Amino acid sequence: MNSPGVTHGGASSSIRLAEYSGFEMVTALANGSLPLPSMAETLPFALLPPAAEGEIQLRAKPEARFCNPLNTMHGGWIMTMLDTAMALAAMTTLSRGEICPSHETSAKFVRPIRVDSGEMHIIGQVVSRGRTVITLEGRIEDSQGRLHAHGTSTCLVMGQRP
């Protein structure tokens, strides 16, 4: 489930990424100017263009290949969607030359996500942006706004390695 014109291509060179602020990079990922990471081929999602710094939205459709034996979406899929949305929200706050690896992520599963649950809305939001730590929260909701999972994360703000 990709945005029109978006291709997947693995990591872009660090030199090219240093040309972008985090907000510019996430916008370029969303509009297809930069390829989404190849992980998005395995766990497909659509990245919506960020409306504001510190906020991101993804769209993803549950697929049978990600179900657990109970025929609900595996927790790994849910965690990955939350982690991706929160990390991208953190990224929108970065200056050129900064990176923000995830430090920790946790999730709470509120109601099952099934293959027939329809398109899920994944929201990542910055709660606090400090000099060295970004605190985030994320939500997975269905199209009616019902909460299925939520989580928190922290990312570390670091200068990019040479």
Side-chain angles (χ1 to χ4, degrees), residues 17 22 24 28 38 43 79 89 96 140 159:
L17 296 180
E24 293 167 340
S38 53
L43 297 170
M79 287 283 294
R96 285 183 173 91
I140 298 180

Side-chain angles (χ1 to χ4, degrees), residues 91-114:
M91 212 184 239
T92 66
T93 71
L94 299 178
S95 298
R96 285 183 173 91
E98 288 182 322
I99 60 172
C100 62
S102 294
H103 177 62
E104 64 78 33
T105 300
S106 66
K108 304 291 185 218
F109 308 113
V110 176
R111 69 172 38 94
I113 300 173
R114 295 176 169 49

Side-chain angles (χ1 to χ4, degrees), residues 1-17:
M1 164 161 204
N2 304 320
S3 301
V6 173
T7 58
H8 301 281
S12 299
S13 76
S14 59
I15 294 170
R16 184 172 181 197
L17 296 180

